[in-house]
Amino acid sequence: MTSDGPGATTMQNNPTAPLEIGRANIHDLRIRWSDGHESVYPAADLRLACPCEGCAQQSAPRPPGQIRLLPAGIQAVHPLRVELIGQYAIRVYWSDGHSEGIYGFDRLRAACPCCLVKRGA
Amino acid sequence: MTSLPGNSIRYVIPVASGKGGVGKSTVTANLALAMAREGARVGVMDADVYGPSIPTILGVASLPEMDEDDKIRPVEQDGLKIISMGFFMAPEQAVVWRGPMLHKTMQQFLNGVIWGELDYLLVDLPPGTGDIQLSLCQSIPIAGAVIVSTPQDVALNVAQKAIAMFRSLNAPILGVIENMSDYVCPHCGVHDEVFGAGGAATMAERLGVAFLGAIPLTTAIRRASDAGRPVVVSAPESAPARAFFTIAERITTLVSARPEGASARPEVTF
């Protein structure tokens, strides 16, 4: 968690604030950041990472042997609409009807797929 | 700059608390007046729909009017533009609403009010971490939240939750104000820390947010607020008023220190 004190980093003075949010293709979401980097988020991954309370409980660590059931048709799910939440996050309206999750920009940036690969995460 | 239809608001500053009764509305009113007296164009949105007290504290006697486009013209007084749920309900009435209605009211206060050009819009939030707070943070870019708390543990413990809420929404936090910090007996001059002292500063440091300052517990502030002439207006040279002026200056310095264009909204091309 970042400090909000004077001189601290917040989303509003973060050099990697999002400049543009759009489609990479019919399925995937693209964000262009203020440092010039572009992130492409596969729709299925983003849907599975939904931070809403219901989905977060689903994706919580489970005891050994207990499997997680993925939503049917997860590979076909795609964003229908994206709504800006203040200037801190987006809400994605998914083709499966779900729209409860609010995706914070800081978490989206931290979860940039190509950056994760580079970091070996 | 926040662009609401027909309005241009430079900085939106919600004033929040965890617990009720910590003097949030009194702090909001005095900070707004302090900013206005320094020459800023200031609006006050009383979003505490359950217990609107801004009209009483600011001594507002008139009511807002509607223009020909059914937009609300806020009350203008002491250099402030003011809107409150208290203007639209009788004192004996209570607001018993669910979330969607609260959201609608927030939208009306943001989009249906002729704020015009403002440097600062201070939003007096209800206590807690509920629908109103969520609705505001999700509707407009805010410059940073101000958290008000009294110094005792029972208030500070809840104030932490307000900080956590703003953080969970990635909304910036300007800092914490300790209200009712220190009581000085007007007769003998003895200091008495009725609710303790310094707790908010300690909490702010622990949570990594700025401490904006302390407001003393004085009868003068209570009396001035009850009379509708906040201490910043009725006794601007007094120690309590000076505390408000100092904190207002810290807040304006903090928000203006943010980089130019930092509040720009990203473009959504969906």
Side-chain angles (χ1 to χ4, degrees):
Chain A
M1 183 63 73
T2 58
S3 165
D4 295 299
T9 302
T10 69
M11 275 312 296
Q12 293 197 336
N13 60 17
N14 189 338
T16 54
L19 293 181
E20 186 185 342
I21 301 157
R23 290 185 190 277
N25 51 58
I26 188 173
H27 277 96
D28 305 332
L29 185 88
R30 179 179 61 85
I31 298 181
R32 183 166 62 86
W33 304 93
S34 58
D35 64 351
H37 188 72
E38 280 198 9
S39 304
V40 174
Y41 300 90
D45 292 350
L46 206 56
R47 173 66 183 88
L48 286 173
C50 174
C52 83
E53 191 59 27
C55 294
Q57 281 179 12
Q58 281 289 313
S59 57
R62 286 157 192 278
Q66 188 177 345
I67 59 167
R68 178 187 180 194
L69 295 175
L70 296 180
I74 187 67
Q75 292 305 326
V77 75
H78 57 276
L80 298 175
R81 186 161 67 89
V82 168
E83 177 184 86
L84 209 52
I85 304 293
Q87 63 199 82
Y88 335 108
I90 51 173
R91 181 195 301 278
V92 181
Y93 291 83
W94 296 101
S95 57
D96 63 0
H98 193 69
S99 62
E100 300 304 311
I102 293 174
Y103 296 77
F105 291 136
D106 56 346
R107 289 176 191 163
L108 282 168
R109 179 64 199 232
C112 168
C114 69
C115 299
L116 289 177
V117 169
K118 280 181 194 161
R119 290 201 299 267
Chain B
M1 186 76 74
T2 297
S3 290
L4 297 169
N7 297 313
S8 173
I9 302 170
R10 201 157 179 208
Y11 301 114
V12 178
I13 302 173
V15 181
S17 72
K19 189 178 161 301
V22 298
K24 177 175 44 57
S25 300
T26 302
V27 170
T28 304
N30 278 285
L31 288 178
L33 287 166
M35 290 172 174
R37 286 175 79 91
E38 295 299 319
R41 298 164 297 180
V42 186
V44 177
M45 186 174 119
D46 184 0
D48 191 348
V49 298
Y50 308 111
S53 46
I54 287 291
T56 303
I57 293 170
L58 289 174
V60 180
S62 53
L63 290 172
E65 295 173 355
M66 305 292 280
D67 76 351
E68 57 277 11
D69 297 322
D70 280 344
K71 288 228 169 191
I72 304 167
R73 215 182 291 280
V75 172
E76 294 195 35
Q77 184 170 306
D78 292 322
L80 303 178
K81 291 183 178 178
I82 307 155
I83 204 75
S84 169
M85 195 63 207
F87 295 144
F88 305 101
M89 54 193 286
E92 67 276 12
Q93 280 184 310
V95 166
V96 187
W97 289 345
R98 292 188 187 277
M101 195 62 188
L102 295 169
H103 180 71
K104 202 174 165 188
T105 304
M106 281 302 92
Q107 295 306 311
Q108 182 79 8
F109 278 6
L110 289 170
N111 301 311
V113 172
I114 307 167
W115 292 110
E117 289 198 5
L118 293 180
D119 294 310
Y120 305 99
L121 176 64
L122 270 63
V123 183
D124 184 22
L125 290 170
T129 54
D131 290 293
I132 295 273
Q133 289 84 347
L134 198 60
S135 183
L136 181 82
C137 291
Q138 293 183 344
S139 299
I140 49 167
I142 66 172
V146 170
I147 313 292
V148 180
S149 180
T150 44
Q152 77 275 38
D153 286 347
V154 69
L156 292 168
N157 288 341
V158 194
Q160 292 183 87
K161 295 184 188 298
I163 291 173
M165 176 200 68
F166 284 111
R167 282 180 158 164
S168 73
L169 294 167
N170 283 329
I173 297 165
L174 293 176
V176 177
I177 296 172
E178 180 168 290
N179 193 27
M180 307 183 198
S181 181
D182 181 26
Y183 176 74
V184 182
C185 175
H187 305 294
C188 64
V190 167
H191 287 251
D192 186 7
E193 295 167 353
V194 178
F195 298 113
T202 307
M203 179 191 72
E205 187 178 2
R206 180 167 53 80
L207 297 177
V209 299
F211 178 63
L212 298 172
I215 309 289
L217 173 65
T218 71
T219 311
I221 295 179
R222 196 274 305 157
R223 192 178 290 143
S225 299
D226 283 351
R229 299 299 292 162
V231 70
V232 161
V233 173
S234 57
E237 301 301 326
S238 65
R242 285 203 304 273
F244 283 118
F245 278 111
T246 302
I247 293 173
E249 190 182 346
R250 279 189 193 133
I251 290 172
T252 55
T253 304
L254 273 176
V255 292
S256 61
R258 290 171 44 223
E260 201 59 36
S263 61
R265 287 163 77 88
E267 185 184 1
V268 178
T269 58
F270 251 78

